[in-house]
Amino acid sequence: MLTTYTVAAGRLTLNNAEQPPEALRAAVWIDLLNPLREEVKVIEQTLGLELPTREEMQEIESSSRLYREGEILFLTAPFLYGAEQGEYGSTPITFVLAGHTLLTVRYATPKAFAAFANRAQRNPGLLSSADAVMLHLFEQVVDRLADILERLGADMDRASQSAFRTAKGTTKKKANARDADLKEVLIALGEVGEVTSRARETLLGLTRILTFVNAEKATALRKENKATIKVLERDVRSLVEHASFLSNKANFLLDAVLGIINIDQNGIIKTFTVASVALMPPTLVASIYGMNFAHMPELQSPYGYPLALLLMIGSAVLPILYFKRKGWL
């Protein structure tokens, strides 16, 4: 789908229909979402450029994501989307700065894009130039990522409290309930770690784009937008540090929860080990008196059977008392 944003006399015109080349050249922002081959061909012929394919957008080499052809800049980075719905992922988005027009090529819709489009309709001043559109889009992305990281921090705190509360309440909850609680904590920490890593990937991609654009600012940025890029660089850097902190905290909590699970499993294994050791002497006694030899004095004694039972019980109780004395139980 091709959407154009054109500002004339302070008014914004948004158009989703097929447009002539003159209208495309006048647009300050052209947004391509899941573009058809015909739409790509029209844009390339109108603006005199060659758009990267979806496969080329997914390449990880820096030279394939950030490059210049004549006076046109091609900037590609992965962006987090779907974090609010729980069906999150990363999608590459290409920004093409071609004179007074910004062209975006994407195959998913991060919430920041929809939010910025709504803002632009209320405030057309955000679309004063192509570089201004791109930088304001980046600002919206950074704001969304900040909100997501704050929510992830809160989710991590709740998971931490739940895990340690479950660990302390060993006598108040049944084993099945404890296992269910710890499983939920592990799932929550896994989701937090995954979204955090994808958010950090987005921030690192933005850092590379801003660094590249800053190096090309003589031709890529207007003078009035240079202060904006400095603010963006500072905000992105602080969010990268916060994302790294959250990632380290998630790893720590994951290790702690796995440690709690290991302690529970060790307790179960220890119980079975003590039980097997305590039953070994009675088994030996029962095996001895289960032998079918003709001359066994105890077989003729009227007290042989109860004595054998007492011997088995005593041989089982003595190891348990010993383990308790050593503090192993």
Side-chain angles (χ1 to χ4, degrees):
M1 184 177 70
L2 188 154
T3 306
T4 61
Y5 298 79
T6 306
V7 178
R11 298 185 63 181
L12 172 66
T13 303
L14 189 150
N15 201 326
N16 294 320
E18 185 177 346
Q19 300 172 62
E22 296 76 16
L24 293 176
R25 294 191 189 97
V28 67
W29 179 22
I30 301 175
D31 186 30
L32 284 172
L33 174 61
N34 294 316
L36 301 175
R37 183 175 299 179
E38 295 77 10
E39 293 174 336
V40 172
K41 187 175 180 180
V42 168
I43 291 296
E44 290 179 339
Q45 291 176 349
T46 302
L47 300 182
L49 50 82
E50 183 179 354
L51 292 176
T53 64
R54 188 171 187 177
E55 291 73 20
E56 291 172 340
M57 291 168 61
Q58 293 173 340
E59 293 180 0
I60 62 174
E61 301 95 333
S62 179
S63 59
S64 300
R65 291 191 168 188
L66 307 171
Y67 58 94
R68 178 181 189 133
E69 291 184 356
E71 296 299 318
I72 302 175
L73 297 185
F74 294 82
L75 314 166
T76 303
F79 286 79
L80 171 68
Y81 71 94
E84 293 80 8
Q85 294 79 18
E87 298 179 359
Y88 48 83
S90 294
T91 180
I93 298 179
T94 296
F95 298 81
V96 182
L97 274 176
H100 68 277
T101 301
L102 172 69
L103 176 65
T104 55
V105 183
R106 55 193 177 91
Y107 295 88
T109 304
K111 195 168 183 179
F113 271 71
F116 177 74
N118 292 332
R119 283 182 57 205
Q121 294 181 49
R122 297 191 302 268
N123 182 13
L126 296 173
L127 307 180
S128 58
S129 62
D131 54 326
V133 176
M134 184 181 70
L135 293 179
H136 288 311
L137 259 173
F138 289 166
E139 285 180 335
Q140 192 72 47
V141 170
V142 170
D143 288 343
R144 291 299 308 161
L145 289 176
D147 295 338
I148 290 172
L149 291 177
E150 289 176 3
R151 179 175 58 81
L152 291 177
D155 291 344
M156 200 178 304
D157 289 339
R158 285 193 294 270
S160 173
Q161 293 173 4
S162 176
F164 292 116
R165 185 168 56 247
T166 300
K168 291 177 181 179
T170 53
T171 60
K172 298 180 181 179
K173 278 195 173 183
K174 295 182 179 180
N176 291 339
R178 279 170 49 80
D179 292 345
D181 289 345
L182 291 176
K183 182 179 179 180
E184 289 181 3
V185 171
L186 281 176
I187 293 174
L189 289 176
E191 291 180 350
V192 166
E194 178 68 14
V195 177
T196 301
S197 65
R198 292 183 182 274
R200 192 167 183 269
E201 182 185 27
T202 300
L203 290 168
L204 292 176
L206 282 176
T207 300
R208 295 188 184 99
I209 287 180
L210 293 174
T211 301
F212 184 82
V213 171
N214 206 23
E216 302 283 346
K217 62 184 178 182
T219 56
L221 291 181
R222 296 175 183 268
K223 186 176 180 180
E224 59 269 21
N225 293 325
K226 293 180 180 179
T228 304
I229 199 169
K230 290 181 180 179
V231 174
L232 272 172
E233 286 178 333
R234 185 171 63 249
D235 290 343
V236 169
R237 187 163 50 248
S238 65
L239 287 182
V240 168
E241 294 173 356
H242 188 62
S244 299
F245 164 75
L246 289 179
S247 180
N248 293 334
K249 185 177 179 180
N251 289 331
F252 162 74
L253 291 176
L254 186 61
D255 292 339
V257 172
L258 292 177
I260 293 171
I261 294 173
N262 287 334
I263 290 173
D264 288 345
Q265 291 177 343
N266 290 338
I268 295 171
I269 293 173
K270 183 171 65 175
T271 301
F272 281 108
T273 302
V274 170
S276 62
V277 171
L279 291 175
M280 286 174 62
T283 303
L284 176 63
V285 173
S287 300
I288 291 173
Y289 287 104
M291 293 187 291
N292 297 319
F293 289 106
H295 301 286
M296 294 184 70
E298 293 83 356
L299 293 179
Q300 306 300 324
S301 172
Y303 305 106
Y305 178 69
L307 286 175
L309 290 179
L310 288 175
L311 182 60
M312 285 189 286
I313 294 173
S315 61
V317 171
L318 287 175
I320 295 176
L321 294 177
Y322 178 77
F323 291 150
K324 283 190 174 182
R325 185 177 179 183
K326 288 290 187 179
W328 297 345
L329 287 177

